[in-house]
Amino acid sequence: MRSVNDWFGSYSADHQNPVNRLIHWICVPAILWAVIAFLWLIPVPASIGRPGLWCGLVMVGALAFYWRLSRPLGAAMFAAFVLLALLTEFLFRRLGSNDLFWVAVAVFAVAWVGQFIGHLIEGRRPSFFTDLQYLLIGPAWLMGKLMRRVGLAY
């Protein structure tokens, strides 16, 4: 398995333009939240759990990936997942499943358009075109940058 520094170095090479980086700071978290919302909305039989169960299970899988890369990064991503899950639960209760679905669709679509505009400006194709694991690296790359800004090593 590649090291966290290898992943981040490779991802950074495709994200040099400051406008593209700014777009990523907005769009990557938005896409992550939208995916969490979609997973939250997958029906769960009452006999085995409640809404959000499938999302939680997928989060555990993603966190295992992050934890293997770096324990501090895994812990930080855990905190981000908890915050995004709390937001999703709040919106689920407030909006209901149908409206939450449409909000997530809109956020997802607008954020992906933003991502592709950023890569058009960058002049490089998105990293996940070469390896789908980069879909997990994008949020971690931003978290790593945030951790460095506050003086935490990943």
Side-chain angles (χ1 to χ4, degrees):
M1 186 163 145
R2 296 169 63 180
S3 76
V4 67
N5 291 322
D6 289 341
W7 281 112
F8 286 0
S10 178
Y11 194 84
S12 290
D14 291 336
H15 300 85
Q16 294 295 310
N17 185 286
V19 174
N20 188 29
R21 286 181 181 229
L22 175 62
I23 289 170
H24 275 64
W25 275 103
I26 297 163
C27 294
V28 168
I31 291 166
L32 179 59
W33 172 78
V35 169
I36 288 169
F38 290 139
L39 291 168
W40 203 273
L41 293 169
I42 298 172
V44 177
S47 61
I48 66 167
R50 56 179 304 281
L53 173 68
W54 307 125
C55 181
L57 294 174
V58 170
M59 284 180 174
V60 167
L63 286 168
F65 175 80
Y66 295 135
W67 191 258
R68 285 186 315 173
L69 284 179
S70 156
R71 286 188 170 83
L73 180 65
M77 291 303 296
F78 175 78
F81 281 180
V82 167
L83 290 173
L84 291 171
L86 289 171
L87 171 64
T88 305
E89 172 68 12
F90 171 78
L91 292 172
F92 178 79
R93 289 175 185 256
R94 186 84 163 171
L95 301 175
S97 59
N98 190 54
D99 287 347
L100 178 59
F101 174 78
W102 289 111
V103 169
V105 166
V107 168
F108 189 82
V110 169
W112 271 111
V113 168
Q115 288 287 87
F116 283 106
I117 289 170
H119 279 283
L120 186 64
I121 292 167
E122 180 81 44
R124 296 183 65 102
R125 63 189 193 150
S127 300
F128 75 88
F129 282 176
T130 59
D131 188 336
L132 288 177
Q133 291 179 88
Y134 281 111
L135 292 170
L136 289 171
I137 295 299
W141 180 71
L142 293 176
M143 183 60 75
K145 286 184 165 299
L146 186 61
M147 290 172 72
R148 282 194 309 272
R149 284 186 185 169
V150 299
L152 297 173
Y154 58 79

